[in-house]
Amino acid sequence: MFKRKKPLDFFTQIAKLIWPEKGWKRNFLYYWKRLTRIPDSPHSISLGFSIGVFFAFSPLLGLHTVLSIFFSWVFRANILSSIIGTFIGNPITYPLMWASSIGIGGFLSGNIDTDYDRIELSNIFGADFLASFLIGSLILGLLFGIGSYFIIKHSIFIFKGSRGSIGK
């Protein structure tokens, strides 16, 4: 009933995963409107969003949404905004997030290896690599989470303040 008349080929499906049909601007504006129209306090919305951003930086793939929902519930933050916050991590931003997390974590833990000719699969699953990844993602997650808290809170104050003066 809800299928296409002509199914999409494999390459078109992959292209739609990477680039939305209507464009990134429309996706961004949709989630921005969803975020600003949540009927909750600006503190709860921005705290939930920042929790989502924090867990978007974690290397625990598949658990971002589950962890952000759980910690939003624990801290009594808005759960929907935490789910929207995890969308910061997507196939376009993950390589940059992971490379910077590994680089910062490796620099701080002293496990940085600049000899790229000797990179092997066994090095990726080693304890030094995972420790560097966790340290870097924790630091970047905290920085971006705290920054997004203040940016979202300020933006929601402005948006809700301007909506309150429309009917007056």
Side-chain angles (χ1 to χ4, degrees):
M1 177 183 237
F2 294 109
K3 291 184 178 180
R4 294 176 170 265
K5 288 182 181 178
K6 182 180 174 190
L8 297 175
D9 63 337
F10 178 73
F11 294 112
T12 308
Q13 289 177 358
I14 297 296
K16 287 184 86 171
L17 283 174
I18 296 171
W19 194 268
E21 189 174 340
K22 302 287 184 178
W24 285 108
K25 182 179 178 185
R26 183 170 184 201
N27 271 4
F28 173 77
L29 290 176
Y30 170 75
Y31 287 115
W32 178 251
K33 287 181 181 181
R34 289 283 309 258
L35 187 67
T36 55
R37 293 179 179 167
I38 295 174
D40 208 348
S41 70
H43 168 72
S44 176
I45 296 169
S46 55
L47 181 62
F49 188 83
S50 65
I51 289 171
V53 169
F54 174 77
F55 283 111
F57 275 89
S58 78
L60 306 171
L61 284 178
L63 296 176
H64 295 157
T65 306
V66 174
L67 288 172
S68 68
I69 289 171
F70 176 73
F71 280 96
S72 294
W73 176 73
V74 167
F75 290 116
R76 299 186 185 265
N78 190 283
I79 293 174
L80 178 62
S81 65
S82 72
I83 294 171
I84 293 173
T86 59
F87 293 159
I88 294 294
N90 57 56
I92 294 175
T93 59
Y94 277 141
L96 181 63
M97 292 163 62
W98 291 341
S100 56
S101 293
I102 293 166
I104 290 173
F107 176 74
L108 292 176
S109 65
N111 295 332
I112 196 160
D113 186 14
T114 57
D115 189 9
Y116 295 110
D117 295 333
R118 295 186 317 118
I119 293 179
E120 298 173 359
L121 191 59
S122 62
N123 293 346
I124 292 176
F125 294 110
D128 293 340
F129 177 80
L130 292 176
S132 299
F133 201 171
L134 284 172
I135 291 169
S137 64
L138 179 69
I139 291 170
L140 287 177
L142 281 172
L143 287 175
F144 280 90
I146 291 169
S148 67
Y149 173 82
F150 291 110
I151 291 170
I152 296 297
K153 188 171 184 177
H154 180 71
S155 300
I156 290 174
F157 270 131
I158 291 172
F159 179 78
K160 289 191 176 186
S162 67
R163 287 194 68 162
S165 62
I166 289 174
K168 294 180 181 178

